[in-house]
């Protein structure tokens, strides 16, 4: 499968970006690991430093106590108390800092017991020195020297320090490894960035020409769009001049209307703006409550076209023909409804009058058909219809005469006469005139009838049929 240049470029660019992301994640991970390892190194160094301070504090306790016993100098008690407080504080820090090491905790608990004994032994000797003047300071100092536990404390602290030093060495190695890995990943990361920049630079150069071509094409498109926009605006103006246009909110609230619309309904814009579309409905339409469903369909984006009965400001009925058009914005969201209509009141009124006239004619025809014999002929004189009175009069059934020529009703003398050869000329001679005619029944019997031939013409004056009425 072959890939286009653009697709290859996209795949390569995606690969480089993915590699940079992976290297970045690795770099972050190694940096985080190095920071954690460095924190552990600092932590262990702090523990060792606390151990050293703790040993020094205990040595100060022994030294200050011995000095007080020998010299009985009360100024020495203040540094002694400071050393005791520092020793207790340093021990608490040591206990907290080694909470992650159960083995060290056991040793530190033992160290705590030794330190407590040392402090209590020191306090007991000081109290004894204060209350026993007969005991010399040298004697008490000798006893104190023999029974103090500083060597045990020193040995235990050295054992704890040994373990911590071992941990410190291991943690420094972990830190160095993570730091080296972090440096390596940083080199790879920046190399990837540099490679990506080269690719981007090449892409930019490659696309300069393409962008120029696109720019030229876009300019042509903009020119075409501008022309199309002008054409649309001209069309819109033309539509607005010849149609009645109004805009509605999605709930049927009137937003705007052109002059044709306002003139059609007899309102000013200020009278209807902000009002609901229902002000144009008839009372019957309002009672039927069809408007909400109508607007619901428009809100669903459905286009609606047809003929509508409406009411103008004066309360008069008018008829309009047109459409309700849902309008969407660039994001595809329905924002309003545009109504474009024309006034067809005159046409509807004319159609209604024609319909009423037609109905009246049909009623008259029915009455005429009941009391007269009637038949219809096409322009060539062929029989197309006949009522029962006509069929009974001539003794035929409709199937026997339908499609037959008018001459079957004539006598032999009339059928052979030149005056009956051209049916249309005959009709012209007798149209709209009540005359008496001799005709022939099915059995050949001659009969006389009185009636008229009534030609029917189309809009161009062409004969389309003839209605014969016999009274």
């Amino acid at each position: 499968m072959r890939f286009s240049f653009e697709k290859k470029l996209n795949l390569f660019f995606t690969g480089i970006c993915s590699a940079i992301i992976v290297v970045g994640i690795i770099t972050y991970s190694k940096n985080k690991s190095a920071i954690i390892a460095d924190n552990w190194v600092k932590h262990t160094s702090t523990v060792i430093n606390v151990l050293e301070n703790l040993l020094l504090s205990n040595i100060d306790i022994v030294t200050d106590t011995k000095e007080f016993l020998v010299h009985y100098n009360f100024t020495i008690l203040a540094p002694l108390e400071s050393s005791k407080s520092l020793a207790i504080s340093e021990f608490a820090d040591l206990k907290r800092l080694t909470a992650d090491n159960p083995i060290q905790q056991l040793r530190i608990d033992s160290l705590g017991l030794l330190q407590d004994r040392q402090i209590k032994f020191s306090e007991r000797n000081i109290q004894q020195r204060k209350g026993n003047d007969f005991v010399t300071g040298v004697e008490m100092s000798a006893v104190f020297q023999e029974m103090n536990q500083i060597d045990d404390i020193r040995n235990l602290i050295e054992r704890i320090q040994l373990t911590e030093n071992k941990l410190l060495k291991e943690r420094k190695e972990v830190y160095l490894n993570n730091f080296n890995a972090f440096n390596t990943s940083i080199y790879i990361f920046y190399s990837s960035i540099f490679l990506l920049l080269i690719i981007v630079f090449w892409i930019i150069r490659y696309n300069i020409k393409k962008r120029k071509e696109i720019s030229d094409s876009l300019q042509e498109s903009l020119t075409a769009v501008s022309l199309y926009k002008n054409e649309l605006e001209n069309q819109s103006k033309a539509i607005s001049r010849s149609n009645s246009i109004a805009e509605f909110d999605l709930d049927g609230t009137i937003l705007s209307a052109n002059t044709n619309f306002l003139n059609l309904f007899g309102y000013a814009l200020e009278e209807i703006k902000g009002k609901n579309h229902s002000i144009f409905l008839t009372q019957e339409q309002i009672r039927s409550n069809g408007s909400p469903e109508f607007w619901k369909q428009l809100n669903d984006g459905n286009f609606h076209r047809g003929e509508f009965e409406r009411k103008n400001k004066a309360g008069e009925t008018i008829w309009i023909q047109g459409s309700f058009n849902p309008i969407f914005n660039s994001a595809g969201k329905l924002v309003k409804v545009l109504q474009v209509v024309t006034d067809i009141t005159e046409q509807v009124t004319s159609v209604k009058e024609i319909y009423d006239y037609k109905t009246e004619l049909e009623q008259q025809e029915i009455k005429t058909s009941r009391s007269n014999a009637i038949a219809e002929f096409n322009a060539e004189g062929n029989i197309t219809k006949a009522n029962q009175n006509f069929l009974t009069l001539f003794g035929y059934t409709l199937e026997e005469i339908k499609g037959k020529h008018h001459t079957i009703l004539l006598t032999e003398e009339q059928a052979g006469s030149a005056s009956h050869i051209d049916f249309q000329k005959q009709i012209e001679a007798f149209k709209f005139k009540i005359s008496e005619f001799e005709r022939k029944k099915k059995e050949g019997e001659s009969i006389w009838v009185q009636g008229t031939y009534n030609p029917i013409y189309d809009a161009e004056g062409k004969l389309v049929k003839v209605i014969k009425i016999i009274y």
Side-chain angles (χ1 to χ4, degrees):
M1 182 172 60
R2 299 185 64 183
F3 294 100
S4 64
F5 174 78
E6 289 79 7
K7 195 165 186 179
K8 289 179 181 178
L9 192 61
N10 289 335
L11 288 173
F12 184 69
F13 189 76
T14 303
I16 290 295
C17 290
S18 300
I20 290 174
I21 292 172
V22 171
V23 173
I25 293 172
I26 294 172
T27 302
Y28 173 78
S29 175
K30 293 301 180 182
N31 180 52
K32 187 175 180 180
S33 299
I35 291 172
I36 292 172
D38 185 52
N39 288 336
W40 275 114
V41 169
K42 292 177 181 177
H43 173 83
T44 307
S45 300
T46 301
V47 172
I48 293 172
N49 187 54
V50 170
L51 285 167
E52 291 174 352
N53 292 337
L54 187 61
L55 179 58
L56 292 175
S57 297
N58 278 275
I59 292 173
D60 288 342
I61 291 171
V62 172
T63 303
D64 291 341
T65 303
K66 187 175 179 181
E67 286 291 321
F68 178 76
L69 294 177
V70 173
H71 301 288
Y72 200 52
N73 183 357
F74 282 87
T75 59
I76 297 173
L77 292 180
L80 176 60
E81 290 301 322
S82 176
S83 297
K84 289 178 182 179
S85 298
L86 185 60
I88 294 170
S89 174
E90 293 286 351
F91 179 79
D93 288 343
L94 181 63
K95 183 76 174 175
R96 176 178 54 79
L97 291 169
T98 56
D100 62 312
N101 194 331
I103 296 176
Q104 290 289 61
Q105 284 287 299
L106 293 174
R107 293 172 180 165
I108 290 169
D109 288 342
S110 299
L111 178 62
L113 292 174
L114 290 174
Q115 182 172 275
D116 286 344
R117 289 175 188 170
Q118 180 66 49
I119 292 172
K120 288 177 181 178
F121 180 65
S122 171
E123 291 174 347
R124 204 165 46 246
N125 277 270
I126 290 171
Q127 292 298 324
Q128 186 177 3
R129 178 73 175 94
K130 289 179 180 179
N132 296 283
D133 292 338
F134 59 88
V135 179
T136 64
V138 174
E139 291 174 342
M140 292 193 70
S141 175
V143 172
F144 180 81
Q145 184 66 30
E146 290 177 0
M147 302 198 58
N148 85 76
Q149 303 174 75
I150 191 64
D151 289 336
D152 293 335
I153 291 173
R154 179 186 285 108
N155 291 334
L156 190 51
I157 286 176
E158 287 177 353
R159 288 173 60 194
I160 295 171
Q161 281 181 325
L162 183 63
T163 301
E164 291 297 325
N165 281 319
K166 184 178 179 182
L167 280 173
L168 180 62
K169 182 179 179 181
E170 291 174 357
R171 288 171 175 173
K172 281 184 176 179
E173 289 178 356
V174 172
Y175 166 73
L176 289 173
N177 290 337
N178 281 289
F179 184 73
N180 290 333
F182 169 73
N183 286 337
T184 302
S185 60
I186 281 291
Y187 295 147
I188 296 173
F189 179 77
Y190 282 115
S191 297
S192 302
I193 292 292
F194 180 71
L195 179 60
L196 180 63
L197 290 174
I198 292 175
I199 295 172
V200 170
F201 177 74
W202 181 79
I203 292 173
I204 291 172
R205 290 195 59 189
Y206 174 81
N207 280 290
I208 288 175
K209 182 179 179 181
K210 292 291 181 182
R211 288 182 64 184
K212 187 177 184 304
E213 293 175 357
I214 293 172
S215 178
D216 294 340
S217 176
L218 181 60
Q219 187 60 44
E220 293 177 1
S221 299
L222 288 174
T223 303
V225 167
S226 179
L227 293 173
Y228 182 66
K229 180 183 176 183
N230 291 335
E231 184 178 349
L232 285 179
E233 288 176 350
N234 292 332
Q235 289 178 356
S236 177
K237 290 177 181 178
I239 292 172
S240 182
R241 283 194 296 269
S242 59
N243 293 275
S244 300
I245 301 174
E247 292 184 353
F248 301 89
D249 205 345
L250 300 182
D251 60 356
T253 301
I254 302 166
L255 300 176
S256 65
N258 71 352
T259 302
N260 290 345
F261 189 94
L262 297 171
N263 292 337
L264 174 61
F265 285 91
Y267 287 99
L269 182 60
E270 295 74 18
E271 293 178 299
I272 63 172
K273 189 173 183 180
K275 300 288 183 64
N276 190 269
H277 172 260
S278 58
I279 67 172
F280 304 127
L281 302 182
T282 65
Q283 291 300 320
E284 179 62 30
Q285 291 169 333
I286 293 173
R287 279 195 296 271
S288 65
N289 199 28
S291 186
E293 180 61 27
F294 177 79
W295 284 95
K296 180 180 181 300
Q297 292 181 8
L298 290 173
N299 274 262
D300 291 337
N302 296 319
F303 167 91
H304 195 79
R305 180 178 178 83
E307 297 176 355
F308 311 96
E309 182 183 5
R310 291 294 182 260
K311 177 186 69 174
N312 64 13
K313 182 179 179 180
E316 300 169 339
T317 297
I318 62 173
W319 285 87
I320 57 175
Q321 182 184 58
S323 60
F324 286 82
N325 309 279
I327 304 299
F328 300 86
N329 62 14
S330 58
K333 182 181 178 182
L334 183 63
V335 292
K336 62 182 177 180
V337 174
L338 181 70
Q339 181 185 20
V340 181
V341 297
T342 55
D343 182 13
I344 59 168
T345 305
E346 185 176 344
Q347 294 93 311
V348 171
T349 302
S350 298
V351 169
K352 186 175 184 303
E353 291 175 352
I354 292 170
Y355 178 78
D356 292 341
Y357 181 68
K358 179 183 177 184
T359 303
E360 184 179 349
L361 287 177
E362 288 175 348
Q363 295 296 328
Q364 291 178 0
E365 183 179 350
I366 292 171
K367 292 178 182 179
T368 303
S369 180
R370 287 173 183 169
S371 58
N372 298 280
I374 301 174
E376 289 186 12
F377 307 89
N378 61 19
E380 286 74 31
N382 298 318
I383 302 168
T384 57
K385 291 182 183 179
N387 71 353
Q388 189 59 46
N389 290 345
F390 189 93
L391 297 171
T392 301
L393 177 62
F394 284 92
Y396 287 101
T397 64
L398 182 61
E399 291 76 14
E400 290 176 312
I401 62 172
K402 188 174 183 180
K404 299 293 180 65
H405 197 267
H406 170 256
T407 54
I408 68 169
L409 305 175
L410 304 181
T411 63
E412 292 180 1
E413 183 181 350
Q414 291 170 332
S417 173
S419 63
H420 295 285
I421 294 175
D422 190 335
F423 178 72
Q424 293 194 28
K425 287 183 178 180
Q426 178 189 355
I427 296 306
E428 287 293 327
F430 293 103
K431 69 178 180 179
F432 306 128
K433 290 169 62 177
I434 299 176
S435 303
E436 294 180 353
F437 309 98
E438 183 184 8
R439 292 294 181 258
K440 182 184 68 174
K441 296 175 68 173
K442 177 180 178 181
E443 294 79 6
E445 180 183 354
S446 178
I447 61 173
W448 284 87
V449 295
Q450 185 182 52
T452 60
Y453 284 90
N454 304 277
I456 308 298
Y457 300 94
D458 62 15
E460 297 178 355
K462 183 179 179 182
L463 180 67
V464 291
K465 66 179 179 179
V466 176
I467 300 175
K468 180 177 182 179
I469 302 176
I470 299 175
Y471 304 103

